Amino acid sequence: MLRIVALAHDGTLHKDISLDDLSGNKYRWYWVDFENPTQNESALLSTFFHFHPLAIEDCLLYIQRPKLDHYEDYTFFVFHALNPETSVVKEIDCFLGKNFIVTFHFESLMYLDKVNKKIESGALNTPLLIFHAILDEAVDLYFPIIYSMEDRLNDAEDNTKGLSTTALMDEVFDIRSDLLRLRRTIYPMRDLVYRIINSSRIPDFQEYHGYFSDIYDHLLRLSEIVEDSRELTADIRDSYISLNAFHGNQIMIKLTILSTIFLPLTFIVGVYGMNFVHMPELKWKYGYLFVWIIMLTIGIGIPLYFKKKGWFNDKIE
Amino acid sequence: MLRIVALAHDGTLHKDISLDDLSGNKYRWYWVDFENPTQNESALLSTFFHFHPLAIEDCLLYIQRPKLDHYEDYTFFVFHALNPETSVVKEIDCFLGKNFIVTFHFESLMYLDKVNKKIESGALNTPLLIFHAILDEAVDLYFPIIYSMEDRLNDAEDNTKGLSTTALMDEVFDIRSDLLRLRRTIYPMRDLVYRIINSSRIPDFQEYHGYFSDIYDHLLRLSEIVEDSRELTADIRDSYISLNAFHGNQIMIKLTILSTIFLPLTFIVGVYGMNFVHMPELKWKYGYLFVWIIMLTIGIGIPLYFKKKGWFNDKIE
Amino acid sequence: MLRIVALAHDGTLHKDISLDDLSGNKYRWYWVDFENPTQNESALLSTFFHFHPLAIEDCLLYIQRPKLDHYEDYTFFVFHALNPETSVVKEIDCFLGKNFIVTFHFESLMYLDKVNKKIESGALNTPLLIFHAILDEAVDLYFPIIYSMEDRLNDAEDNTKGLSTTALMDEVFDIRSDLLRLRRTIYPMRDLVYRIINSSRIPDFQEYHGYFSDIYDHLLRLSEIVEDSRELTADIRDSYISLNAFHGNQIMIKLTILSTIFLPLTFIVGVYGMNFVHMPELKWKYGYLFVWIIMLTIGIGIPLYFKKKGWFNDKIE
Amino acid sequence: MLRIVALAHDGTLHKDISLDDLSGNKYRWYWVDFENPTQNESALLSTFFHFHPLAIEDCLLYIQRPKLDHYEDYTFFVFHALNPETSVVKEIDCFLGKNFIVTFHFESLMYLDKVNKKIESGALNTPLLIFHAILDEAVDLYFPIIYSMEDRLNDAEDNTKGLSTTALMDEVFDIRSDLLRLRRTIYPMRDLVYRIINSSRIPDFQEYHGYFSDIYDHLLRLSEIVEDSRELTADIRDSYISLNAFHGNQIMIKLTILSTIFLPLTFIVGVYGMNFVHMPELKWKYGYLFVWIIMLTIGIGIPLYFKKKGWFNDKIE
Amino acid sequence: MLRIVALAHDGTLHKDISLDDLSGNKYRWYWVDFENPTQNESALLSTFFHFHPLAIEDCLLYIQRPKLDHYEDYTFFVFHALNPETSVVKEIDCFLGKNFIVTFHFESLMYLDKVNKKIESGALNTPLLIFHAILDEAVDLYFPIIYSMEDRLNDAEDNTKGLSTTALMDEVFDIRSDLLRLRRTIYPMRDLVYRIINSSRIPDFQEYHGYFSDIYDHLLRLSEIVEDSRELTADIRDSYISLNAFHGNQIMIKLTILSTIFLPLTFIVGVYGMNFVHMPELKWKYGYLFVWIIMLTIGIGIPLYFKKKGWFNDKIE
Ligand SMILES: [Mg+2]
Ligand SMILES: [Mg+2]
Ligand SMILES: [Mg+2]
Ligand SMILES: [Mg+2]
Ligand SMILES: [Mg+2]
Ligand SMILES: [Mg+2]
Ligand SMILES: [Mg+2]
Ligand SMILES: [Mg+2]
Ligand SMILES: [Mg+2]
Ligand SMILES: [Mg+2]
Ligand SMILES: [Mg+2]
Ligand SMILES: [Mg+2]
Ligand SMILES: [Mg+2]
Ligand SMILES: [Mg+2]
Ligand SMILES: [Mg+2]
Ligand SMILES: [Mg+2]
Ligand SMILES: [Mg+2]
Ligand SMILES: [Mg+2]
Ligand SMILES: [Mg+2]
Ligand SMILES: [Mg+2]
Ligand SMILES: [Mg+2]
Ligand SMILES: [Mg+2]
Ligand SMILES: [Mg+2]
Ligand SMILES: [Mg+2]
Ligand SMILES: [Mg+2]
Ligand SMILES: [Mg+2]
Ligand SMILES: [Mg+2]
Ligand SMILES: [Mg+2]
Ligand SMILES: [Mg+2]
Ligand SMILES: [Mg+2]
Ligand SMILES: [Mg+2]
């Protein structure tokens, strides 16, 4: 589907016009948006607009890295929007000329409606400003995604949801790999906007330098959050690993103390359970009492000994 | 609340004047401080000062990264103060022109009083020097925070507070994530001051180059402390993990030795506790003595054997 | 074997000609491909083409890093193709002059046939375009290899193949070392194409700048996938290690609880299995019942106590 | 305490002169050394020498990072000496002008005597050469410290001192944190000397370029040693952790085998220790022999079975 | 020992001449090689050649980093050869002038004979070419060392030598620290050759640019192998650690299952081994049979229960 908006020389805004109306010099500028185009529509990139084959190939093929290529009469951009629900990447391709902008994408992009409304309100009156608005909206939509990631991370840090350790480790691993995926969009977008800011070949750019710097600020902040969050996930994981290992040892200590107490006691009662005919102790009057005294000495003495050695301490010297 | 200080052309300092007095060319320079402004007051950024919408947006919205944007007649700065008690970030926005400085912040900042006193004493007699004083005080307040962090780290290194291992690991993890948070302020502040030093667009800057270099020195030192402290926390954690694992093994060795001694003994006394009618040993005169000799041999021989094999050694070969 | 293609001045394409035909100025350009050449054929690099000894040495010796060397009348390239089945590196050496291209390789390269067909179709009509086509095809063949690596990684991430843990860890380690091997080809290839793009010494290059940028885009994407995949393997491994350690502790807890229950019980029954003549309890009417009550109290009380202390919990506090 | 050395225009060296003698143009150059100055003496930096307040502040306050600041008539340096015994940092501040050098330090520095002797011998006849000598001696004193660190590291690597594992891990951790401390001096010193080498603002510098390059070589080497040593400590620690974990498992295997043998045996003897009235086996003539045969089969068979399964092997498959 | 080779103006090669013959302008160029020189011979660097004291100091003192210093009439190089057997570093110092080359080394260097033979054959007819040959041979000798390192690494990766785990971990640690040592030679050598390539101050260099690029290619490849090999050793170690931990857990599971089976059984037989006078079960006709049925139920039921819960599985969920 193609959507066309064009500004006539008399300053009026025209919609619902056809591609053919655009040829000739009738309009001050126009915006053509290819949304999920058919093969016939895609062919117009070449037959009507005469864009460079390499740029058209980048439009038609599988998801590209965000990038910028200068051609003689226009600049070609690839950038990434993110689906706010699934955080899946959506590629938007964009041809920006002095008096036109052409956008191309296979998935529908809600937020372009917001850009349309701004055009109708008269706030965006050059192709460069429309381009800026599209890029700006795309990057603004990264924030809810990255903030929800930070929320998940904060939940994980204090385990506010009371997850089991296995579930928590799973969640931390998930956050890490989601951050990795986001990074693959945010870093190249940041580098792209940096190149836009430092490019001298985009028409009328100097006037709007500050507007793109503003987007760059956002991407810089986003990439710092991604980087710091990945470090924090590593810290959470390492902290759990060391706590877990420590708990393991504490339990082992308890098991050892228990065994140390009962192994000799069980041996002693075993001794006097033997059936030798000649076992003098068995016939002693206070034999049984005597054995109990020995056993109580062991059963009380060993824990006291361990206590003195600091084994019940929850410290590592 | 707005606080206004202005230097008249005759060198006298005026306070408690209104914004309207500032228009016209009555004053050599003026400083307007917006502290926790109302919506009406905030609107003055646009209606009275005519600052750029992007800069005003940065003032009004959520915490920005420290940064610097050049506009035609002024430079816009965002920087971060830290609350010395909670080490929470407070954003300060600042417009610096040739003959004015406007500061904007939603939280009250004690230390601005110190700057005010310096102005009254005559030590700060240009907007650039006032700007320097504000930035300098903000960065100076980082030091008590980072020094208290270093103290906590030193306490953790030797566990001077006698914390349990779990509490200590928690503390190390806390320090790490506090350092991460501080880093997010200190690194961009460092980069900001670096840009200030290397900027040729701030009026009269060359004269005071050394004063900003001095702040840069501090930020460089702070970022080194942050980086080194994070490495040290990692070292402390790794060192505890390895000690803990080692202790775990030592305990396991003791448990194994104990089992190795008592398992066969308990088996032996079990044998002679059996009730078979035909068990010749039971009727031997020295059967019981004989079993004791075997059991003592095992009970003494096994520990000796382990000692010879070096299991009681606290070394890993 | 030598394969020669040459374009005559009249625009006709000649194949099956001999090297001697190439001297004189009969052809607009020619391509000589040395496939698995004999020693006599290799000698032609020096005797017929008079290439520089250092470049010839690089052709003849063991696999070189991808690289580019400028000589007076030609540029010498080494680049790497990958066998799509085994992902083993195949070196291709290439001399690119104003009106000739000479390729040299010891292994047969299927995809050169595709280049040949494009020449016949007239799509490639300069040595530079032939060179671009060879490089482009080589890099395109990296993708199936890297995608299959990503598939293996995804399989490993969720263990979709139901491998045993040992087999899975082996697979993760294998993927890591395969990625390391791929990186050794992809990074220098990326740097090579970067140098090609920024070189001012390759004839007629400016015209085709965009075509090499396109290859560079691919290599940039490939190197990002390699880097991210290596991080992901590290994450998978770390995640398994921490899960494994946690499971180990859970099992240890169960063992400890079990021992805690049965060690005292076994001791008690041992006590009343002793054969002392004077053991009053044995003769009590309800002695046996009494012992059972004690034992049931222990056997039920201890698990309840542990439950209250949260040991059955699968969380680390 | 102030120590003054000055070279008169007639080439004679004067000591024990007062500050007042230095004003006027009596001397070709002079060196004033403030060693642990009183407040009155420190005030001379401002009242007599008129140095910049920022530089004076750096002199008087807490330890600064090594650095260099250019002022109109002199360059101000901060650098670090290390106490060879304690490896504690000592700050030296230095003002270098065309015909004077002023050094300032709160701790006594033995090695300045060596510089003094070189001046008396006539080897150092400009302020720049004196400055070089001071810097050179300071850096030379890093070497014994870093070499002793390398020695400690070598001792730790092979545990030549026969330390217990706990003590060894402590030592490795200590070396790591000492290296971290040294790095904080060596890296900024290296960067400082790099800036000196590349500075065009130090008078007469070009002539002595090679002399400062020589110091830079040393600092480069020192920083490589620090970096490599830190990697080596990480390797030693990781290697101990993995060895320790492996030994832990070996011990666990032995414990498991032992339990596997004796648990069933103890069960069997328990069975025939039961007091049921109707237990036919107890009355069999060869019952006891039969039980022994079963028990020997288990006691010998299980170890053989484990041996066949490779559990006694000290390898991980 | 000094070895002198000189080319007379008539193109004849002279050996066995004395240093004094070199003064005057008798020879087109000469090469003086100091092999393990006496103190008297070393003094000639200063008295005969008048080299700079800093360069001479570098010759005489302890092993330097590879480096390059430009002096007025010559360039001074330090580079590292490696003993192919022990891979110990041997320093070679080299002064390269327009018509002379002086080499200085304390250890004998076999491969200089190869350079000598090439001179005799007429292949090396300028000091720069001799210098290149010496450097080239030195770097070529790195390859057998690094290849043997790769072989050891491959052996370790699959444990082809069937080492015990302890021995294997030792070997991996050894390889890592050998790689660290090699890196200390290879990285600075690479940086040195990079500086040679980009230096405009070495006479006649432009002509032989390609020859030094060839050495740089080798050093680039070597440093990549070192870096990748270190990563691979870390991978091998991490992989062993995780396998070991997994095996430890598997063994623990087996031990737990075993205990879970026999602890209750042993308790039961203990119960009926008690000697209470009033124990009704003991007199039941089928009491013994009944107990066996209970015990078999437990002994078979518990393993079945664990099997159903997947404990015999060698997977971590
Ligand atoms: Mg990840
Ligand atoms: Mg990426
Ligand atoms: Mg990326
Ligand atoms: Mg950052
Ligand atoms: Mg950051
Ligand atoms: Mg971490
Ligand atoms: Mg952290
Ligand atoms: Mg930050
Ligand atoms: Mg940050
Ligand atoms: Mg630093
Ligand atoms: Mg540092
Ligand atoms: Mg560490
Ligand atoms: Mg690897
Ligand atoms: Mg590489
Ligand atoms: Mg590589
Ligand atoms: Mg990347
Ligand atoms: Mg990336
Ligand atoms: Mg890791
Ligand atoms: Mg990771
Ligand atoms: Mg450390
Ligand atoms: Mg430092
Ligand atoms: Mg530092
Ligand atoms: Mg280095
Ligand atoms: Mg290094
Ligand atoms: Mg390491
Ligand atoms: Mg190492
Ligand atoms: Mg190095
Ligand atoms: Mg090194
Ligand atoms: Mg590499
Ligand atoms: Mg690795
Ligand atoms: Mg690792």
Side-chain angles (χ1 to χ4, degrees), chain B residues 85-100:
Chain B
E85 267 88 46
T86 61
S87 71
V88 164
V89 169
K90 296 175 171 188
E91 183 182 333
I92 313 172
D93 305 300
C94 185
F95 299 83
L96 176 66
K98 215 173 160 53
N99 61 348
F100 67 87

Side-chain angles (χ1 to χ4, degrees), chain C residues 173 176-177 180 230, chain E residues 231-232 235:
Chain C
F173 176 75
R176 274 184 81 73
S177 90
L180 200 62
R230 273 185 64 86
Chain E
E231 282 199 35
L232 198 55
D235 279 358

Side-chain angles (χ1 to χ4, degrees), chain E residues 261-281:
Chain E
I261 295 166
F262 282 104
L263 280 178
L265 295 187
T266 304
F267 165 68
I268 289 168
V269 299
V271 167
Y272 296 105
M274 291 193 293
N275 298 318
F276 285 99
V277 174
H278 303 287
M279 282 181 72
E281 301 95 316

Side-chain angles (χ1 to χ4, degrees), chain C residues 52-54 57-58 62-65 67 69 159 162-166 169-170 173 176-177 180-181 183-184 188 230 237 240-241 243-245 247-249 251-252 254-255 258-259 262-263 265-266 268-270 272-275 281-285 287-288 291-292 295, chain E residues 147 150 154 157 210-214 217-218 220-221 224-225 227-229 231-232 234-236 238-239 241-243 245-247 249-250 252-253 255-256 259-261 263-267 269-281 309 311 314-317:
Chain C
H52 193 283
L54 283 169
E57 192 190 64
D58 282 346
Y62 183 72
I63 287 254
Q64 297 288 319
R65 290 182 82 245
K67 68 164 186 175
D69 283 328
N159 196 6
L163 298 176
S164 75
T165 300
T166 320
M169 287 295 95
D170 261 19
F173 176 75
R176 274 184 81 73
S177 90
L180 200 62
R181 255 175 281 274
R183 195 175 74 179
R184 237 197 242 187
R230 273 185 64 86
R237 193 186 54 203
Y240 263 85
I241 289 175
L243 265 184
N244 182 48
H247 280 269
N249 273 353
I251 292 164
M252 186 101 80
K254 290 190 179 76
L255 179 56
L258 207 77
S259 303
F262 282 104
L263 281 178
L265 295 187
T266 304
I268 289 168
V269 299
Y272 297 104
M274 290 193 292
N275 299 318
E281 300 95 316
L282 293 181
K283 284 153 207 155
W284 293 354
K285 194 173 177 188
Y288 180 53
V291 161
W292 262 118
M295 292 195 304
Chain E
Y147 287 153
E150 280 193 311
N154 286 337
E157 193 172 346
Y211 288 87
F212 288 94
S213 288
D214 189 59
D217 282 351
H218 290 172
L220 219 54
R221 192 174 156 77
E224 285 179 359
I225 295 176
E227 212 44 54
D228 289 353
S229 298
E231 282 199 35
L232 198 55
D235 279 358
I236 294 174
D238 291 352
S239 155
I241 289 174
S242 63
L243 265 183
F246 177 71
H247 279 271
N249 273 352
Q250 293 302 96
M252 186 102 80
I253 286 172
L255 180 57
T256 304
S259 304
T260 310
I261 295 166
L263 280 178
L265 295 187
T266 304
F267 165 68
V269 299
V271 167
Y272 296 105
M274 291 193 293
N275 298 318
F276 285 99
V277 174
H278 303 287
M279 282 181 72
E281 301 95 316
K309 280 196 70 169
W311 281 37
D314 54 349
K315 278 186 229 179
I316 303 170
E317 292 150 64

Side-chain angles (χ1 to χ4, degrees), chain B residues 7 46 56 75 108 110 147 151 153 174 180 185 290 301-302 305:
Chain B
L7 190 78
S46 174
I56 293 172
T75 305
S108 69
M110 298 301 211
Y147 287 153
D151 288 346
L153 192 52
D174 256 33
L180 200 62
T185 284
F290 193 67
I302 287 175
Y305 172 74

Side-chain angles (χ1 to χ4, degrees), chain A residues 56-276:
Chain A
I56 293 173
E57 191 190 64
D58 282 346
C59 287
L60 299 179
L61 286 185
Y62 183 72
I63 287 257
Q64 298 288 320
R65 289 182 81 244
K67 68 164 185 175
L68 165 175
D69 283 329
H70 294 295
Y71 291 98
E72 211 163 323
D73 295 325
Y74 52 89
T75 305
F76 173 67
F77 300 88
V78 177
F79 54 86
H80 286 180
L82 292 176
N83 181 323
E85 266 88 47
T86 61
S87 72
V88 164
V89 169
K90 296 176 171 188
E91 182 182 334
I92 312 172
D93 306 299
C94 185
F95 299 83
L96 176 66
K98 213 173 162 54
N99 60 348
F100 67 87
I101 174 166
V102 174
T103 51
F104 186 99
H105 47 99
F106 283 108
E107 285 153 298
S108 69
L109 295 163
M110 298 301 212
Y111 75 79
L112 289 186
D113 296 339
K114 285 176 75 175
V115 177
N116 251 311
K117 273 183 198 129
K118 280 192 191 167
I119 294 175
E120 287 168 30
S121 76
L124 309 173
N125 54 18
T126 68
L128 185 61
L129 281 182
I130 295 169
F131 170 72
H132 172 269
I134 294 170
L135 186 60
D136 189 30
E137 295 285 347
V139 171
D140 279 355
L141 284 174
Y142 294 180
F143 278 95
I145 294 168
I146 208 93
Y147 287 153
S148 87
M149 204 75 79
E150 278 193 312
D151 289 346
R152 284 171 66 194
L153 192 51
N154 285 337
D155 284 353
E157 193 173 345
D158 309 316
N159 196 6
T160 47
K161 291 193 176 157
L163 298 175
S164 76
T165 301
T166 321
L168 191 69
M169 287 295 95
D170 260 19
E171 169 70 359
V172 168
F173 176 76
D174 256 33
I175 296 172
R176 274 184 81 73
S177 91
D178 287 351
L179 286 168
L180 201 61
R181 255 175 281 273
L182 278 176
R183 196 176 73 181
R184 239 198 241 187
T185 284
I186 288 170
Y187 280 27
M189 284 295 285
R190 181 194 63 189
D191 299 345
L192 168 63
V193 177
Y194 185 83
R195 283 190 63 202
I196 293 177
I197 291 174
N198 292 290
S199 170
S200 57
R201 294 176 59 178
I202 302 173
D204 303 320
F205 178 71
Q206 288 317 312
E207 218 172 319
Y208 300 106
H209 186 278
Y211 289 85
F212 288 93
S213 288
D214 190 59
I215 300 177
Y216 185 64
D217 281 352
H218 291 171
L219 286 164
L220 217 55
R221 193 174 155 77
L222 286 164
S223 54
E224 286 179 358
I225 295 176
V226 167
E227 211 45 52
D228 289 354
S229 299
R230 272 186 64 83
E231 282 199 36
L232 197 55
T233 51
D235 277 359
I236 294 174
R237 193 185 55 201
D238 291 352
S239 155
Y240 263 85
I241 290 175
S242 64
L243 265 184
N244 181 47
F246 178 71
H247 280 269
N249 273 354
Q250 293 302 97
I251 291 164
M252 186 100 79
I253 286 171
K254 289 189 179 77
L255 180 57
T256 303
I257 291 168
L258 208 77
S259 303
T260 310
I261 295 166
F262 282 104
L263 281 179
L265 295 185
T266 304
F267 165 68
I268 288 168
V269 300
V271 166
Y272 295 105
M274 290 193 293
N275 298 318
F276 284 98

Side-chain angles (χ1 to χ4, degrees), chain B residues 217 224 231 249 275 281, chain D residues 65 67 230 244 272 288:
Chain B
D217 281 353
E224 286 179 358
E231 282 199 37
N249 272 354
N275 298 318
E281 300 96 316
Chain D
R65 290 183 80 245
K67 68 163 185 174
R230 271 186 64 85
N244 181 47
Y272 294 105
Y288 181 52

